[in-house]
Amino acid sequence: MASFTLHGISVSRGIAIGRAHLLTPATLDVKHYLIDQDQMEAEVARLQNAIRTVHGELQTIWRDLPKDSPAELAAFIDVHVLILSDPMLSEVPLNIIRKRYYNAEWALVTQIDELSAQFDEVEDPYLRERKADIQQVGERILKVLTGTATTIPTPSGSEEKISHMIVVAHDISPADMMQFRDRAFAGFVTDVGGQNSHTAIVARSLDIPAAVGMFNASALIDQDDWVIIDGDAGVVIVDPSPQVLEQYRERQARLIRERKKLTKLKKTPSVTIDGVAIELMANIELPEDCGAALDAGAQGVGLFRSEFLFMGRTGYHNKLPTEDEQFESYRKAVVAMKGRPVTIRTLDIGADKPLDFAEQTALNPALGLRAIRFCLAEPQMFLIQLRAILRASAFGKVRLLVPMLSHAFEIDQTLQMIAQAKVQLRTANKKFDEAIEVGAMIEIPAAALTLPLFVKRLDFLSIGTNDLIQYTLAIDRVDHEVAHLYNPLHPAILYLLSNTIAIGARHGVPVAVCGEMAGDTRLTRLLLGMGLREFSMHPSQLLSVKQEVLNSDLRLLVPQTKKILRAIEPHAIAEGVERLAAL
């Protein structure tokens, strides 16, 4: 077989080398047929039994999770349990059997397809990826119905053949990932997925190389093919030549040695060669993530995404987390960080998301009632979250971060809501930090271009590079048709970034970057040269970024960065960034 290369989306850095193990979707084996009326209840019972079996499997997997498992795995399995219990999946397919006389598999697939179509209308990249959770729960039920459970290879044959395994699939559920945790498992390759897919999130948490959005990799790669995953480039090389294989093995060995050295930097102060202190913070989704943040030497939490507290229940049980539930999650994170600052972002979802109480009316939800706009339109829900965050501030340093602000009146309304929440807590004799800092996410070009409105009213700014790039370049980075146009080094992006950092410094307002750019070591020196002094990233990226900081001299970086910012042509910018790496 001739060697070939596939290009997808890089979601977890590093190199993996191993034999391909293919997972075949159960939906490919589903038979469609009509049943007789007298078979109807027996078919209903067959589906109900399969659902109960899967529920037991998920509970067992959750119970047996190793203590060192990423918190994301438990969270995703919890979501799958909730989906499994939801009437949309546990009851509607039964009604399809009774009304249309479909066999159990057909009825289930029909409902999964209907739910998937609804999620396709969701504009938010992270939430759109949750369609995969529904499909994966359906997959597990189908495998029980058809007797085609996911299998993993039994060690046999040559040691070389079984030493590593690359899982290749259309998609992989978090529960299935646990089957590979204790095996010689090197990486993931999936046809679908993006930066925010569960596969990407778990791969980053496990620090395992992965490439997603590979389109038809599962059809092109054969069982036991030699596969190389270049996680840095989002490239998969199939059946590589001996020379290429040897080159990547050398690179892999070098990376392993370098990672071992990085652990020695955990307690080293994050200071440049010329003595400038740089704050390195962690992005988290759950309070349990604080352990990984501390292990990496994070100086605090630069972004606590509160959406995880709302996901898996909202839209399935029509029940939002209570004030006490939210408060307890925020409090746990604040206490776990032992006095280090925790920046909590308010809810970043909108009317186009699976919230049962909110109807979708926007023609283009990406430009509609999202994030702070949605929260201001649902003041009671917003006040509950604000009170919970404020209450948590009594237990340590908390900063409140507001997403998607673009207008002065939005800032003013938000500050008024915070003031109202404070009054309510004072009335209830509940403690909070009266001087809690409030900041804005800069992720809309309009915000980046009208910063005087923000620095006048707020205490700090945090640049969300993911959305800033998407909105500036009109690129949905999880859309495979245009993902190649997603470019953090576009001159417009560099201008907005440098301008935001400069204006913040001029007015004494701290500016952080909490998007993917913050954790990309190829861009660390560029951001330092722009004047950035606070980075927030996934904990697994922190030590690599710290190493770049320790090897950087701002006296050399700043003049070179100014030249890059004056450049317009892509090749000139790329060459300038390469020169920074050599300084």
Side-chain angles (χ1 to χ4, degrees):
M1 178 180 176
S3 176
F4 62 92
T5 301
L6 301 172
H7 297 265
I9 299 171
S10 171
V11 295
S12 184
R13 303 185 70 178
I15 292 170
I17 302 172
R19 294 280 190 176
H21 175 68
L22 270 64
L23 299 184
T24 304
T27 49
L28 297 178
D29 302 321
V30 169
K31 295 179 180 178
H32 295 185
Y33 58 88
L34 296 173
I35 59 172
D36 295 331
Q37 187 171 1
D38 59 359
Q39 298 175 300
M40 183 175 63
E41 289 307 320
E43 200 69 4
V44 166
R46 192 163 72 89
L47 181 52
Q48 288 175 323
N49 288 335
I51 291 172
R52 279 194 289 270
T53 298
V54 171
H55 192 275
E57 289 176 355
L58 292 174
Q59 294 285 10
T60 299
I61 292 169
W62 190 92
R63 186 190 65 229
D64 296 339
L65 282 175
K67 290 184 178 179
D68 61 343
S69 295
E72 288 90 347
L73 274 176
F76 282 128
I77 293 170
D78 280 339
V79 168
H80 284 202
V81 171
L82 288 166
I83 292 172
L84 190 66
S85 304
D86 189 86
M88 294 299 289
L89 204 63
S90 64
E91 294 180 12
V92 172
L94 306 180
N95 294 334
I96 292 174
I97 294 173
R98 293 187 177 108
K99 292 179 180 178
R100 305 186 199 176
Y101 300 104
Y102 286 5
N103 63 305
E105 293 88 345
W106 189 6
L108 181 62
V109 170
T110 298
Q111 177 60 4
I112 291 171
D113 289 344
E114 173 63 28
L115 293 173
S116 297
Q118 293 175 16
F119 271 80
D120 283 335
E121 299 301 317
V122 173
E123 292 292 338
D124 182 271
Y126 172 79
L127 292 172
R128 187 168 58 242
E129 295 287 357
R130 304 286 66 80
K131 174 182 75 171
D133 292 307
I134 293 174
Q135 293 173 332
Q136 287 156 9
V137 172
E139 277 277 320
R140 295 190 73 85
I141 301 171
L142 286 171
K143 285 173 180 176
V144 173
L145 288 170
T146 59
T148 57
T150 302
T151 57
I152 50 181
T154 302
S156 63
S158 69
E159 191 62 33
E160 180 186 49
K161 183 175 179 180
I162 64 172
S163 61
H164 293 288
M165 181 170 62
I166 304 289
V167 178
V168 181
H170 181 69
D171 201 3
I172 307 171
S173 76
D176 283 340
M177 287 180 191
M178 292 312 298
Q179 296 186 74
F180 305 102
R181 183 177 175 83
D182 299 321
R183 303 294 178 104
F185 168 43
F188 304 109
V189 178
T190 60
D191 298 339
V192 299
Q195 287 283 350
N196 300 298
S197 66
H198 60 79
T199 306
I201 292 170
V202 173
R204 284 194 290 268
S205 299
L206 293 172
D207 206 14
I208 292 173
V212 304
M214 306 298 289
F215 287 100
N216 53 355
S218 62
L220 294 173
I221 299 174
D222 293 328
Q223 189 77 14
D224 288 332
D225 276 349
W226 275 106
V227 173
I228 297 172
I229 300 175
D230 185 338
D232 295 336
V235 167
V236 171
I237 303 170
V238 183
D239 198 26
S241 67
Q243 294 88 347
V244 171
L245 196 58
E246 184 58 30
Q247 288 174 4
Y248 270 94
R249 279 182 170 152
E250 290 176 1
R251 281 182 59 188
Q252 185 183 47
R254 186 170 65 250
L255 286 172
I256 291 171
R257 290 194 300 269
E258 290 173 356
R259 286 192 177 192
K260 286 182 179 179
K261 291 180 182 177
L262 285 178
T263 59
K264 298 177 182 178
L265 300 178
K266 176 184 171 182
K267 295 183 179 179
T268 303
S270 181
V271 179
T272 63
I273 290 173
D274 52 324
V276 178
I278 306 298
E279 289 188 275
L280 300 181
M281 317 287 273
N283 295 343
I284 68 170
E285 281 84 25
L286 297 164
E288 292 77 10
D289 296 343
C290 291
L294 292 172
D295 286 344
Q299 294 166 266
V301 171
L303 176 63
F304 183 165
R305 299 183 179 98
S306 63
E307 293 76 55
F308 266 80
L309 304 177
F310 293 75
M311 294 306 301
R313 54 194 299 158
T314 309
Y316 295 114
H317 293 283
N318 195 22
K319 181 184 177 184
L320 293 169
T322 65
E323 179 180 328
D324 285 342
E325 287 176 295
Q326 292 188 60
F327 159 68
E328 189 57 31
S329 289
Y330 305 143
R331 186 194 66 80
K332 281 182 181 178
V334 172
V335 171
M337 291 308 293
K338 302 175 182 178
R340 298 170 180 83
V342 176
T343 304
I344 304 173
R345 185 177 68 186
T346 58
L347 189 60
D348 192 7
I349 55 177
D352 61 312
K353 316 308 188 296
L355 297 178
D356 288 346
F357 64 84
E359 289 187 24
Q360 163 62 287
T361 57
L363 294 175
N364 187 342
L367 304 177
L369 207 59
R370 284 196 60 194
I372 188 57
R373 301 170 187 177
F374 178 75
C375 288
L376 292 175
E378 296 287 342
Q380 293 310 311
M381 180 202 72
F382 193 32
L383 281 170
I384 287 172
Q385 182 173 38
L386 291 175
R387 289 197 300 268
I389 294 173
L390 286 167
R391 287 170 60 188
S393 70
F395 294 83
K397 175 69 173 177
V398 172
R399 302 194 303 174
L400 198 157
L401 182 60
V402 185
M404 297 289 287
L405 288 166
S406 59
H407 296 275
F409 71 84
E410 289 175 334
I411 304 173
D412 294 339
Q413 287 179 11
T414 299
L415 294 175
Q416 288 170 12
M417 292 285 284
I418 294 170
Q420 184 178 347
K422 288 181 176 180
V423 169
Q424 292 171 344
L425 290 178
R426 291 189 199 103
T427 303
N429 291 319
K430 292 186 176 178
K431 296 180 180 179
F432 62 92
D433 178 8
E434 289 279 1
I436 188 171
E437 294 181 356
V438 180
M441 290 282 288
I442 303 300
E443 50 195 339
I444 297 177
L449 293 170
T450 55
L451 288 169
L453 294 174
F454 290 76
V455 296
K456 178 182 177 181
R457 292 167 165 82
L458 298 162
D459 302 305
F460 67 96
L461 304 175
S462 189
I463 305 173
T465 55
N466 304 353
D467 271 333
L468 183 62
I469 296 169
Q470 290 190 111
Y471 279 103
T472 304
L473 303 183
I475 299 298
D476 182 350
R477 64 182 179 146
V478 300
D479 184 335
H480 308 309
E481 298 293 331
V482 295
H484 64 286
L485 298 173
Y486 183 91
N487 180 17
L489 292 178
H490 190 288
I493 302 301
L494 299 184
Y495 169 77
L496 293 177
L497 284 170
S498 60
N499 190 56
T500 301
I501 294 167
I503 290 179
R506 195 178 307 146
H507 290 83
V509 175
V511 177
V513 167
C514 63
E516 291 291 323
M517 288 182 71
D520 190 337
T521 53
R522 294 166 296 190
L523 304 176
T524 302
R525 296 187 177 200
L526 177 64
L527 292 171
L528 287 171
M530 289 182 184
L532 187 68
R533 299 295 178 261
E534 182 182 327
F535 296 68
S536 190
M537 68 211 76
H538 191 278
S540 65
Q541 301 166 322
L542 197 142
L543 289 175
S544 296
V545 172
K546 180 182 278 190
Q547 185 178 52
E548 285 295 313
V549 170
L550 295 174
N551 292 327
S552 295
D553 188 331
L554 297 182
R555 293 168 297 188
L556 301 177
L557 294 183
V558 171
Q560 181 62 35
T561 301
K562 287 180 178 178
K563 292 180 182 178
I564 294 171
L565 295 175
R566 288 195 295 268
I568 295 295
E569 295 295 334
H571 72 272
I573 294 172
E575 290 171 2
V577 172
E578 287 181 14
R579 283 193 292 272
L580 284 179
L583 292 177

